[in-house]
Amino acid sequence: FSGCLALFTACKDKKNTKLIIDIPEEESVNINIHRYEKVLMNIDANNIKNELKKYQSEYALFLNGNLDDTLNIIQLYNYISDPVLREIYDDILKKYKDLSWLEKELSQSFTYYKHYFPAIKTPKIYTYISYLDFENRIINVDTVMAIALDMYLGENYKMYPSVKIPKYISARLDSNYIAIDCMKSLAEKMTDFNLENKTLLDNILYLGKILYFTDAMLPEKAEELKIGYTKEQMEWCSKNEENIWAFFIKNNLLYNSDYYKIRQFFTEAPSTKGFKDAPPRFGEWIGWQIIKSYMNENKNATLEELMKENDSQKILKISKYKPVKQ
């Protein structure tokens, strides 16, 4: 297998243009972003309680404690007085002084979201400072979504090494990935997936559904951004799709549920160990292709039905997935 693996020249940006839908303007969604970090970092530190009470209703996600409790006020005072937090905030303002571009992008995405899921309420969008919590870049609770802007300050942001963020993660911590991460958080929320006793096929199809959902919400975004690959890594997967699938079949991996044996094919890492020049998570990419085939073969299936379908064997069978050597 490894003998036939190599990097190839960069390809053109791939977009799932068939998912672009012409939605009437009167059905469009208008997103307004509420910037909690600006409110919090600009209040009068000597009058915190009264200042925050004015905003408690609007920012209940963050200000749900008792503001008459002196200990809470002291904690908030210490938080907004932290020099490191102040520096992070200054850096956020330099990069994200204006978020009208993101409001426009999210408005388009949530217009698609409303089209596919008309019964689900569009969440209220906030931004905030997570204090470099890279594992929780997006908070998605009930009808509220919060974006940690400090986790999108660029691959080489000076403070990321201090919290030991790996390079293969920080490569995706920029503005290109904000809307993508928002849509993935929506998909994860509506797809109840428990890792316990799950096979390789279960895992990669779950991840494939997340990516296909992101396709539907952001059809004009380049595919390599959605999966977090370089163009060369995308090309590698395309060129080696048949070999990857054959490897899974030959080694009886598809229905293997030993997490420690199968995780390397879909979990975060710099690369996939044991495979020359291979990108990380190439099992996730394969799952994406299977889901695309499934939706092509099952044209009457809705996106909502796809997200609820948990029978991996059924999906694989209907997909008629069979990669062709390129």
Side-chain angles (χ1 to χ4, degrees):
F1 178 73
S2 61
C4 64
L5 304 184
L7 283 172
F8 298 86
T9 56
C11 59
K12 293 181 180 179
D13 289 359
K14 287 187 176 181
K15 303 174 184 180
N16 206 333
T17 53
K18 71 174 186 176
L19 289 173
I20 297 176
I21 302 169
D22 186 16
I23 299 175
E25 187 176 349
E26 61 270 18
E27 296 179 16
S28 63
V29 171
N30 185 37
I31 294 295
N32 293 306
I33 296 175
H34 303 263
R35 301 197 63 171
Y36 175 65
E37 77 283 355
K38 283 189 174 183
V39 168
L40 186 63
M41 301 305 284
N42 285 286
I43 62 172
D44 181 354
N46 296 314
N47 192 26
I48 292 179
K49 181 171 73 172
N50 292 330
E51 287 276 294
L52 289 182
K53 278 187 174 182
K54 294 188 296 185
Y55 298 103
Q56 192 167 26
S57 176
E58 184 179 355
Y59 294 96
L61 175 67
F62 306 98
L63 300 173
N64 59 357
N66 181 6
L67 294 179
D68 289 317
D69 186 329
T70 303
L71 288 177
N72 286 340
I73 297 302
I74 291 173
Q75 286 181 336
L76 282 167
Y77 178 84
N78 291 335
Y79 182 74
I80 64 176
S81 302
D82 186 324
V84 174
L85 189 73
R86 282 282 167 188
E87 187 173 355
I88 293 172
Y89 175 65
D90 289 341
D91 292 334
I92 287 173
L93 286 187
K94 289 174 187 175
K95 187 173 180 67
Y96 296 117
K97 182 178 180 180
D98 175 71
L99 287 179
S100 57
W101 61 272
L102 181 58
E103 289 177 331
K104 182 178 179 181
E105 189 169 17
L106 290 177
S107 293
Q108 181 63 64
S109 294
F110 279 107
T111 295
Y112 282 120
Y113 185 63
K114 181 182 176 182
H115 170 80
Y116 287 109
F117 305 96
I120 302 178
K121 188 175 180 180
T122 301
K124 195 172 183 178
I125 310 297
Y126 297 88
T127 56
Y128 77 111
I129 304 174
S130 72
Y131 216 127
L132 306 178
D133 182 6
F134 73 92
E135 292 184 348
N136 294 289
R137 300 189 285 277
I138 307 294
I139 295 174
N140 190 4
V141 182
D142 297 326
T143 58
V144 174
M145 180 179 288
I147 302 163
L149 287 181
D150 55 320
M151 296 320 307
Y152 297 96
L153 291 173
E155 178 178 1
N156 298 312
Y157 181 57
K158 59 190 176 186
M159 292 194 188
Y160 290 163
S162 68
V163 289
K164 296 181 170 54
I165 299 177
K167 271 290 184 182
Y168 58 88
I169 298 291
S170 64
R172 306 199 300 274
L173 300 184
D174 68 39
S175 58
N176 286 321
Y177 293 93
I178 297 178
I180 290 172
D181 286 351
C182 287
M183 294 305 110
K184 285 183 176 180
S185 75
L186 288 175
E188 289 164 1
K189 186 177 178 180
M190 69 172 56
T191 308
D192 186 20
F193 186 76
N194 187 337
L195 272 173
E196 188 176 353
N197 298 321
K198 291 296 188 293
T199 65
L200 174 63
L201 183 63
D202 292 332
N203 278 281
I204 65 174
L205 290 185
Y206 162 71
L207 294 168
K209 287 197 289 184
I210 300 297
L211 287 168
Y212 190 86
F213 178 96
T214 308
D215 271 338
M217 301 303 119
L218 293 161
E220 297 188 23
K221 278 276 191 183
E223 287 194 338
E224 65 265 17
L225 289 175
K226 292 169 190 170
I227 194 170
Y229 278 178
T230 63
K231 291 180 181 180
E232 290 79 10
Q233 288 173 325
M234 286 287 285
E235 186 71 7
W236 185 96
C237 288
S238 295
K239 293 292 184 181
N240 291 286
E241 183 176 2
E242 184 188 43
N243 296 318
I244 296 169
W245 189 245
F247 177 83
F248 287 163
I249 300 297
K250 181 179 178 181
N251 290 276
N252 299 313
L253 289 170
L254 281 184
Y255 303 103
N256 191 320
S257 58
D258 185 339
Y259 183 74
Y260 294 98
K261 287 185 178 179
I262 62 177
R263 63 179 177 177
Q264 67 166 321
F265 302 113
F266 54 82
T267 55
E268 294 284 9
S271 61
T272 302
K273 291 182 179 179
F275 302 92
K276 184 181 178 183
D277 298 325
R281 303 174 283 109
F282 61 58
E284 179 180 358
W285 186 87
I286 291 290
W288 195 8
Q289 310 318 304
I290 296 173
I291 295 298
K292 289 178 184 177
S293 295
Y294 172 79
M295 294 302 281
N296 284 335
E297 293 292 333
N298 193 18
K299 296 187 184 300
N300 291 326
T302 66
L303 185 58
E304 185 172 7
E305 289 169 342
L306 169 67
M307 302 307 287
K308 291 180 178 179
E309 180 57 72
N310 293 318
D311 188 336
S312 297
Q313 187 58 43
K314 176 183 175 182
I315 291 174
L316 181 61
K317 182 178 180 181
I318 292 176
S319 75
K320 300 179 182 178
Y321 177 71
K322 189 176 182 181
V324 177
K325 189 172 183 178
Q326 295 190 24

